[in-house]
Amino acid sequence: MPAKRLRSQAWFDNPDNPDMTALYIERFLNFGLSQQELQSGRPLIGIAQTGSDLVPCNRHHIALAQRTREGIRDAGGIAFEIPVHPLQETGKRPTAAIDRNLAYLSLVEVLHGYPLDGVVLTTGCDKTTPALLMAAATVDLPAIVLSGGPMLNGYHEGEEIGSGTIIWKARQLLAAGKIDARGFLKMAAGSAPSIGHCNTMGTALTMNSLAEVLGMSLPGCAAIPAPHRDRAEMAYLTGRRAVELVHEDLRPSRILTRAAFENAIIANTALGGSTNAQVHVTAIARHAGVELMIDDWEIHGYDVPLLVDLQPAGKHLASDFHRAGGVPALVSHLLEAGRFRKDALSVTGRTTAENSKGLSSSRQDIIRPFSDPLMSKAGFRVLRGNMFDSAIIKTSVISPEFRKRYLSDPGDPEAFEARAIVFEGPEDYHANIDNPALGIDDRCILIMRNVGPKGYPGSAEVVNMRPPAVLIEGGVLDLPCLGDGRQSGTSASPSILHASPEAAEGSGMAIVRTGDRIRIDLRLGRVDMLVPQNEIDRRRLELLSGSRTLPESQTPWQELFRAEATQLSDGMVLRSATKYQRVDQKGLPRDSH
């Protein structure tokens, strides 16, 4: 039986159109590739390169690409390294989140419009993983994820400290006058001792772990520390497997199924994963054509226990997670407890369950057995009320001290009331959090609005707010927080996030005022401002008749994003983009000449 023609042959070896073949192939010969290679029927594999000097978390992918190329070559393929729009969480203003969709759009056009048969997706820093998976799901070429891996564990004065997480702790120390600016920087630098992304269970490690749970990377890929020799070997094996995926015609549409996304939700809870996973996994599902709703995060994930003892929900760091067995060990524990779908396929050609069966943790203090979790119910609670249609809170980071202070009234368990302190954005918060005129005490809730997809724009990670310095000095390290934006996955602040619709869309978030009483009830899943209905109606009329001021769009992309992006509850995807699915199966693009 003759081998199936590859899509790249429509460019480089089309006997029915020799003049177009000549046009396409001649320029690809100018740096040394031969006509024989390009017309040999060998798969052309793209390496979607997210490493650059602007993306330090992924920069080592520049070196890893060489091992990936060698794997592709040894398996009979030809590698083409392709640039991806830079996505660095800690470098891009106003937020890397706004460019997640820009990188997605760009990669869709590259994968569809160029002579590629498959692709290796190099991921790492927060937004690189969802952006590349969204594109792969849309075009549906054979694809496989190669994570860059976390940094080695960080230390400061002999104490293990995690990247990102230490920033929030150092902010408290700085506010309390226990360190100065130089000490702050020294603590931050100590948490980042090597190449790689965050060494905590922040958004980066969460999303790379979930890429593995979804079946899109080889077993064990997510947790290997970036500097380890195993990371380079994984790059080689991923390159080899990319070629095999093309021959097997194993595409993301067979892997990114409803069962896979339910597994990701379950695993996210067991990992103590980032709240940002709700936005990014939902976005991937939208582009894969899988209906995933905000309530699915509670239905499938809320009553799952916390099993992985990593900061910010726990105390250890990423190198410990790797030594304990990483994602395969965690999945094995979930399988043993009957909390993992066994029918979800992976890029190995076997199910994710088959890849992990029997691989229990070698360090059960790091990856706990189901019978001895850190917390019995640790998932996201979905909240609703008269301020928004939905929001989420990560219950695994509700500390005993916070629970005792706010959620332990025997007459009103799992609920509390607080006085609202409303900030119009991070600038307002930073300028006024220590303002004594606000009278902020431990019975207040800090609210930040106009920081959602439209209001920021792009929805920044600014809702993790510290208390005033005077409260920190008195031992109050956390206040309840609420916002229509996001929070860093490395933060342990118990915040109500992703309030949708956002204030910029005219929701109740836009009319809440400083001094209003707010009731939070985790049992009922409610958040309400205790304001008479006639006053709410009056404020809404005032809002409609007045003019709201949001930051002006500073670039064409910001304006386009604001016009097209959905709310955080829906994945913050572009409305007109999700209708494009399995693009490659609908035919090749037209010739260019």
Side-chain angles (χ1 to χ4, degrees):
M1 183 176 179
K4 179 183 175 182
R5 276 183 64 84
L6 302 172
R7 76 187 297 272
S8 60
Q9 290 177 285
W11 278 258
F12 293 152
D13 190 17
N14 185 357
D16 295 329
N17 202 340
D19 58 332
M20 287 304 303
T21 294
L23 187 148
Y24 290 130
I25 201 170
E26 60 92 10
R27 205 52 57 92
F28 282 86
L29 305 178
N30 73 358
F31 63 95
L33 281 172
S34 68
Q35 179 181 344
Q36 182 182 16
E37 286 175 289
L38 293 177
Q39 294 184 330
S40 64
R42 296 164 65 178
L44 272 55
I45 307 297
I47 301 173
Q49 178 57 272
T50 57
S52 77
D53 290 348
L54 284 177
V55 189
C57 291
N58 291 25
R59 193 179 187 282
H60 56 296
H61 271 304
I62 297 171
L64 286 175
Q66 182 57 40
R67 287 297 284 148
T68 308
R69 283 177 173 274
E70 290 163 359
I72 291 168
R73 192 78 181 187
D74 284 358
I78 300 173
F80 282 81
E81 199 167 334
I82 54 180
V84 172
H85 180 87
L87 291 166
Q88 175 60 35
E89 187 63 34
T90 56
K92 176 63 167 69
R93 293 185 181 189
T95 170
I98 195 171
D99 281 6
R100 183 202 68 178
N101 289 353
L102 185 59
Y104 148 78
L105 285 174
S106 173
L107 187 56
V108 165
E109 293 303 314
V110 171
L111 296 182
H112 178 58
Y114 283 89
L116 299 170
D117 302 302
V119 63
V120 174
L121 310 170
T122 69
T123 67
C125 190
D126 297 12
K127 310 302 181 292
T128 59
T129 307
L132 270 58
L133 281 171
M134 289 157 62
T138 296
V139 182
D140 204 31
L141 289 182
I144 185 169
V145 166
L146 173 64
S147 304
M151 293 182 285
L152 298 175
N153 292 1
Y155 294 89
H156 177 71
E157 296 181 352
E159 179 185 352
E160 201 169 61
I161 59 172
S163 51
T165 298
I166 194 61
I167 299 293
W168 321 123
K169 180 179 179 180
R171 276 184 177 179
Q172 295 172 348
L173 296 174
L174 182 67
K178 295 180 180 180
I179 59 172
D180 58 14
R182 184 175 181 181
F184 193 128
L185 184 57
K186 188 174 181 181
M187 291 181 75
S191 71
S194 75
I195 58 172
H197 61 65
C198 285
N199 50 27
T200 51
M201 191 55 72
T203 306
L205 186 53
T206 295
M207 288 309 302
N208 285 283
S209 295
L210 296 185
E212 186 174 330
V213 171
L214 284 168
M216 288 300 295
S217 60
L218 294 178
C221 180
I224 302 168
H228 280 205
R229 61 162 298 279
D230 291 348
R231 177 56 64 191
E233 182 180 0
M234 181 60 71
Y236 174 80
L237 294 173
T238 300
R240 290 191 63 94
R241 185 59 190 153
V243 177
E244 295 166 356
L245 289 173
V246 173
H247 290 309
E248 296 168 15
D249 199 28
L250 181 50
R251 299 170 183 255
S253 55
R254 293 179 56 197
I255 297 170
L256 296 174
T257 61
R258 175 75 191 188
F261 287 108
E262 288 181 8
N263 282 341
I265 292 172
I266 292 164
N268 189 70
T269 299
L271 287 163
S274 168
T275 48
N276 287 304
Q278 179 266 312
V279 181
H280 298 322
V281 172
T282 300
I284 298 165
R286 291 277 188 274
H287 289 290
V290 174
E291 186 176 4
L292 201 66
M293 309 302 292
I294 186 75
D295 290 322
D296 285 318
W297 290 86
E298 184 171 303
I299 293 167
H300 300 289
Y302 175 64
D303 66 348
V304 174
L306 175 63
L307 302 183
V308 177
D309 191 359
L310 254 64
Q311 298 179 25
K315 61 183 180 181
H316 296 286
L317 293 172
S319 292
D320 307 308
F321 181 48
H322 171 59
R323 283 195 294 270
V327 171
L330 174 67
V331 171
S332 180
H333 284 290
L334 293 171
L335 281 167
E336 290 168 5
R339 295 304 302 267
F340 197 84
R341 293 282 299 269
K342 296 180 180 180
D343 54 339
L345 192 63
S346 79
V347 290
T348 66
R350 303 181 299 277
T351 65
T352 304
E354 289 171 328
N355 293 337
S356 304
K357 188 175 181 181
L359 300 177
S360 58
S361 174
S362 60
R363 287 282 306 276
Q364 298 207 353
D365 59 325
I366 307 295
I367 304 177
R368 301 285 194 95
F370 217 81
S371 59
D372 184 29
L374 280 82
M375 183 184 290
S376 59
K377 292 183 178 181
F380 299 161
R381 190 80 165 93
V382 177
L383 305 171
R384 291 182 166 84
N386 63 3
M387 297 171 67
F388 44 75
D389 292 343
S390 71
I392 62 170
I393 184 169
K394 178 180 175 179
T395 61
S396 65
V397 294
I398 298 177
S399 68
E401 190 276 334
F402 186 94
R403 186 170 291 280
K404 181 180 179 181
R405 186 181 296 273
Y406 297 106
L407 298 169
S408 298
D409 182 348
D412 194 14
E414 295 292 299
F416 66 95
E417 293 182 14
R419 180 170 63 93
I421 306 294
V422 181
F423 299 104
E424 298 297 339
E427 296 83 5
D428 184 17
Y429 157 74
H430 287 298
N432 291 295
I433 185 60
D434 292 316
N435 184 350
L438 291 175
I440 302 174
D441 58 25
D442 65 351
R443 303 311 298 179
C444 290
I445 181 169
L446 307 180
I447 297 177
M448 188 178 290
R449 66 184 171 202
N450 292 319
V451 292
K454 186 174 181 179
Y456 203 71
S459 183
E461 295 183 340
V462 292
V463 181
N464 40 320
M465 297 175 278
R466 67 162 176 84
V470 66
L471 289 186
I472 295 173
E473 291 168 1
V476 179
L477 302 182
D478 291 304
L479 286 179
C481 298
L482 185 158
D484 55 9
R486 299 177 301 111
Q487 178 171 294
S488 170
T490 63
S491 175
S493 174
S495 302
I496 298 167
L497 305 165
H498 308 173
S500 302
E502 61 183 301
E505 292 285 2
S507 71
M509 288 291 291
I511 61 173
V512 63
R513 295 180 178 177
T514 292
D516 288 346
R517 300 292 298 175
I518 309 296
R519 177 173 172 80
I520 295 91
D521 191 327
L522 296 187
R523 285 183 309 152
L524 299 178
R526 296 286 304 184
V527 176
D528 293 288
M529 51 179 169
L530 303 180
V531 175
Q533 187 59 49
N534 62 344
E535 172 62 11
I536 290 176
D537 294 341
R538 188 191 69 78
R539 291 183 190 180
R540 288 195 182 280
L541 284 173
E542 186 179 272
L543 182 72
L544 289 172
S545 61
S547 58
R548 283 173 283 166
T549 56
L550 294 173
E552 290 185 8
S553 295
Q554 296 172 303
T555 66
W557 169 237
Q558 289 184 12
E559 182 175 341
L560 290 167
F561 177 91
R562 279 176 149 154
E564 277 286 309
T566 65
Q567 294 293 289
L568 291 171
S569 59
D570 295 321
M572 201 169 67
V573 295
L574 303 178
R575 290 181 181 86
S576 59
T578 54
K579 66 185 178 183
Y580 294 94
Q581 295 167 6
R582 304 186 186 187
V583 169
D584 183 60
Q585 297 185 37
K586 297 174 182 177
L588 295 171
R590 298 170 72 179
D591 281 318
S592 60
H593 286 77

